[in-house]
Amino acid sequence: MSNPTETSAELLERLQHQVALFARRAEQTRLGGVGRARNSMDRAAYLLLNRLDREGPMGVKALAEAMGIDSSTVTRQVAPLVDTGLVKRTSHPEDGRAVVLALSPRGRGRLDEVRDSRRELMAQITEDWTGQERELFTELLGRFNSALSTWHTGPGRAEDRTEQGGDPADDAAGDAQGA
């Protein structure tokens, strides 16, 4: 817990250090899960399949907007998912000329397998936590991720990164791959 005499700067230093450690540990495990499905799906694929599962079939542009990344990144990330049969391209139900991406039955099966594996990993990592501690951590981590997302897409942020020599599209692509 925090030290009552700790300054705000010291607390923020501890926070940034813990976030850095978390990022390293997450990369080491790739939050892959346990069992046969361990490390069997990269983060970008997992996030894309999850989005299609939760929101249903959608076009590349809508998927890119929903994920906060550009369409070219989605196109590049979806291509191997289509090639391996996890995602299928179908005609838009209202406009047959448009193409939508949908989770295939094979994709649903793989996603379920990976979700089960990752759930088991989370259960093992937090096995000595109370339900309340799991709930609080999940709530705070969700709030932290939301704040990061808002910060990355906030007014002036893209210009700040461009002036510093970064490409805003790279930041968004990293977000999609980094979760």
Side-chain angles (χ1 to χ4, degrees):
M1 283 297 165
S2 78
N3 176 342
T5 62
E6 183 175 51
T7 68
S8 191
E10 290 167 336
L11 178 59
L12 292 173
E13 175 63 25
R14 283 194 311 122
L15 175 59
Q16 74 78 27
H17 180 75
Q18 289 303 316
V19 169
L21 285 175
F22 173 76
R24 183 173 65 195
R25 300 276 188 273
E27 185 56 34
Q28 287 171 335
T29 62
R30 298 189 49 76
L31 293 181
V34 296
R36 201 167 60 94
R38 186 172 193 276
N39 292 329
S40 63
M41 184 178 291
D42 70 43
R43 289 172 294 207
Y46 183 74
L47 292 171
L48 287 166
L49 294 178
N50 260 306
R51 181 69 63 167
L52 290 172
D53 183 45
R54 291 190 173 135
E55 296 185 24
M58 63 181 71
V60 169
K61 184 177 178 184
L63 185 56
E65 287 174 5
M67 296 190 66
I69 56 180
D70 64 48
S71 294
S72 64
T73 300
V74 168
T75 299
R76 188 176 67 251
Q77 292 175 347
V78 164
L81 301 176
V82 170
D83 292 344
T84 57
L86 300 178
V87 170
K88 60 184 177 178
R89 296 180 199 270
T90 61
S91 296
H92 191 284
E94 296 168 11
D95 179 0
R97 298 169 297 166
V99 173
V100 295
L101 301 168
L103 191 60
S104 71
R106 181 170 186 242
R108 178 166 313 286
R110 285 288 296 124
L111 182 59
D112 288 345
E113 181 181 69
V114 171
R115 279 181 178 157
D116 290 345
S117 174
R118 290 179 178 197
R119 243 188 325 270
E120 178 59 29
L121 175 63
M122 294 299 108
Q124 288 179 18
I125 290 171
T126 63
E127 69 184 340
D128 61 342
W129 296 21
T130 66
Q132 187 177 15
E133 288 170 327
R134 283 178 175 167
E135 181 66 35
L136 179 60
F137 181 73
T138 301
E139 182 181 324
L140 291 173
L141 188 57
R143 188 172 163 194
F144 184 79
N145 282 328
S146 179
L148 274 176
S149 178
T150 299
W151 184 86
H152 278 286
T153 59
R157 294 297 176 207
E159 293 83 9
D160 290 347
R161 288 189 299 280
T162 302
E163 288 172 11
Q164 295 168 1
D167 180 354
D170 291 341
D171 292 339
D175 288 347
Q177 295 175 356

